Amino acid sequence: MKIVRRNCIASLIFCCCLLCSALIEPVCAGEQDCGVKCLYVAVKGFELTDAEYSTFRQSVRFDSSFGMSFEALSEAAEARGLFAKGIQGSLEDLQQLSPPFACIANVNDDHFVLVTDVSGTEVSVVDPPRTYTMDRNAFAAIWGGRALILSPSEVSTKSFVRGPLVVTLLCVISLATVLLIWKAKRSR
């Protein structure tokens, strides 16, 4: 009985660790500084730096072998005076935000772009050094909803699902699953 209970707890902890690492794992393995480039464009746009990109890049905690994480981008943004909030949301949520804001979005699970505006039909994207608009549906198809909201002042993100809440919900679901499996094995 103690072995089964210990295995259930270990399984739950393992599931929670996997879920947490998925939320902070670095992206942009191919072009490892796309997140830093997006942050630089946002910080420049909010007139919070006059540094050249090379100087800015060196000042950001950056793991060149893995790329950037939302956590590292958030820390770098806050160190430069920006409000930074990681979210899991939709284009409708972004459309409801009041300017000024920028949003570093994770697309294709391996790349960061800067979203500067969302309208009823289009999404304005900065993928340094390019700037373009995308059809809203096309952008939604490559974006999983994970983003970092940046603003000079706090932005209300009450309508968004926050990262820690997602982890908590997934941990509860994992715990329920583990307990159901344990109960089924126990009743045999």
Side-chain angles (χ1 to χ4, degrees):
M1 180 82 83
K2 287 184 180 179
I3 293 173
V4 172
R5 192 171 310 162
R6 198 172 297 148
N7 286 341
C8 290
I9 292 169
S11 297
L12 176 62
I13 292 169
F14 177 72
C15 290
C16 290
C17 289
L18 283 177
L19 294 170
C20 290
S21 68
L23 289 175
I24 61 169
E25 76 182 49
V27 296
C28 296
E31 183 191 336
Q32 297 171 345
D33 60 350
C34 58
V36 178
K37 287 178 181 177
C38 289
L39 180 59
Y40 178 72
V41 170
V43 170
K44 282 289 255 191
F46 290 125
E47 300 177 347
L48 296 173
T49 188
D50 54 2
E52 293 298 319
Y53 174 72
S54 58
T55 306
F56 182 86
R57 185 178 188 272
Q58 290 174 355
S59 70
V60 175
R61 182 174 61 88
F62 181 76
D63 185 338
S64 61
S65 63
F66 295 110
M68 292 298 295
S69 68
F70 276 111
E71 178 184 19
L73 288 170
S74 179
E75 288 172 6
E78 289 173 350
R80 283 151 184 86
L82 285 174
F83 168 79
K85 183 74 171 179
I87 57 97
Q88 176 72 36
S90 67
L91 288 174
E92 290 77 21
D93 292 328
L94 293 181
Q95 195 171 4
Q96 292 175 11
L97 289 175
S98 300
F101 80 93
C103 168
I104 298 177
N106 178 228
V107 295
N108 296 322
D109 289 327
D110 68 351
H111 188 60
F112 288 116
V113 297
L114 188 66
V115 174
T116 57
D117 189 37
V118 179
S119 71
T121 59
E122 294 180 326
V123 177
S124 298
V125 176
V126 178
D127 189 357
R130 301 177 302 138
T131 301
Y132 53 91
T133 58
M134 285 184 74
D135 175 75
R136 190 180 169 113
N137 293 332
F139 185 82
I142 63 170
W143 182 49
R146 291 177 39 189
L148 183 66
I149 304 297
L150 304 171
S151 179
S153 58
E154 190 166 349
V155 174
S156 174
T157 55
K158 290 180 182 175
S159 64
F160 295 99
V161 175
R162 288 155 186 75
L165 178 60
V166 172
V167 172
T168 303
L169 291 173
L170 291 173
C171 286
V172 168
I173 291 168
S174 298
L175 176 61
T177 303
V178 169
L179 290 174
L180 287 172
I181 292 169
W182 176 72
K183 186 176 180 181
K185 285 184 179 181
R186 186 174 169 210
S187 64
R188 288 184 188 173

